[in-house]
């Protein structure tokens, strides 16, 4: 636990990659170097993205690969490192699909991600946009995009279809001591749920009492109903014991230091009532983020992966400055 903050502080591996490539032993060595450097800085744990594989991949083999990756971390002296995971659903693995068979595939996929989270992090958190498929924008039969009221109406039966999947998934995760924290993501990136209130509405519609929400500072700045409603939603999530994860992220998803983060919300609304981990989340200008997020800013060079760039911040510089900023802002 971070002694200054009295809670765990994690760092997102979106700075380095969107795919851990657990079968690539050479790349495992690169990951280990990053983990050791960030641990030495003072980070307690790490959030890692579990990349989706083609539909025909055996999920058990995926879980076994991540089990091997965890063993490699332990052999490198990182047995105490903590991990949370970032998971998104896809066009193939769609729990909101109107087709029962496809919903079944999505449930198997999501259960495997719970298993991977358990393998990597033990009693941990699986977070991300895993209700509606990330970035899959609906269109009409004539390929016209669906927006606004029509999109909200279109989502209603999709939420209804997903409920049975999530009823079973939440029960499965609870039995494995994994918390499911759905993250609302801004509307230019993906269809709903885009707001904290939409995630809470969905979770409240489930018969199972478990299941939570991630609050990401970047998302609530770019896609919210305003500061007063955000405060109400934080209180609503806390009152229902659903505030599982808090991400500290700049609106441009870049460096945290001296960025437009609503620190007053962190200090006044979240810090007094939330005891879970904070995640420093920086998306580096690397594939696939550079194109999917239309990044114009320069890349933070990654030690051990990129050639050093004189006069430009490295990924480690940004990580170190972010941790110090968080300590100062929440002191």
């Amino acid at each position: 636990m971070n002694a200054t903050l009295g809670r765990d502080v994690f760092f997102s591996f979106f700075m380095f990659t969107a795919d851990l490539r657990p079968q690539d032993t050479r790349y495992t060595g690169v990951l280990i170097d990053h983990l050791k450097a960030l641990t030495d800085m003072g980070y307690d744990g790490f959030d890692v993205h579990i990349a989706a594989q083609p539909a025909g991949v055996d999920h058990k083999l995926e879980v076994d690969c991540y089990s091997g990756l965890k063993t490699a971390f332990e052999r490198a002296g990182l047995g105490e490192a903590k991990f949370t995971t970032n998971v998104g659903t896809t066009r193939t693995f769609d729990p909101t699909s109107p087709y029962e068979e496809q919903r079944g595939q999505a449930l198997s996929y999501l259960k495997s991600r719970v298993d991977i989270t358990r393998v990597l992090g033990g009693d941990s958190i699986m977070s991300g946009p895993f209700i509606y498929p990330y970035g899959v924008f609906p269109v009409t039969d004539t390929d016209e995009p669906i927006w606004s009221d029509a999109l909200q109406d279109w989502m209603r039966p999709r939420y209804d279809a997903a409920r049975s999947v999530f009823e079973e998934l939440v029960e499965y995760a609870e039995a494995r001591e994994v918390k499911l924290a759905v993250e609302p993501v801004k509307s230019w990136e993906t269809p709903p749920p885009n707001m904290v209130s939409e995630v809470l509405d969905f979770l409240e519609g489930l018969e199972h009492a478990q299941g939570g929400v991630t609050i990401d500072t970047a998302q609530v700045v770019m896609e919210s109903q305003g500061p007063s409603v955000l405060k109400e939603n934080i209180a609503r999530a806390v009152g229902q014991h659903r505030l599982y994860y808090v991400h500290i992220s700049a609106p441009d998803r870049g460096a945290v230091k001296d960025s437009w983060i609503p620190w007053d919300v962190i200090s006044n609304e979240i810090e007094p009532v939330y005891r879970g981990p904070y995640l420093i989340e920086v998306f580096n200008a690397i594939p696939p983020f550079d194109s999917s997020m239309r990044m114009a800013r320069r890349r933070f060079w990654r030690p051990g992966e990129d050639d050093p760039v004189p006069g430009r911040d490295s990924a480690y510089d940004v990580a170190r400055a972010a941790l110090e900023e968080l300590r100062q802002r929440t002191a």
Side-chain angles (χ1 to χ4, degrees), residues 121-150:
D123 180 2
S124 191
I125 303 169
M126 180 176 115
S127 181
F130 52 84
I131 296 179
Y132 183 82
Y134 175 79
V136 180
F137 290 93
V139 295
T140 67
D141 291 343
T142 56
D143 286 333
E144 290 295 323
I146 300 174
W147 298 111
S148 190
D149 288 3

Side-chain angles (χ1 to χ4, degrees), residues 239-251:
Q240 297 175 9
H241 307 287
R242 296 190 192 275
L243 182 53
Y244 285 176
Y245 213 0
V246 175
H247 293 184
I248 309 298
S249 189

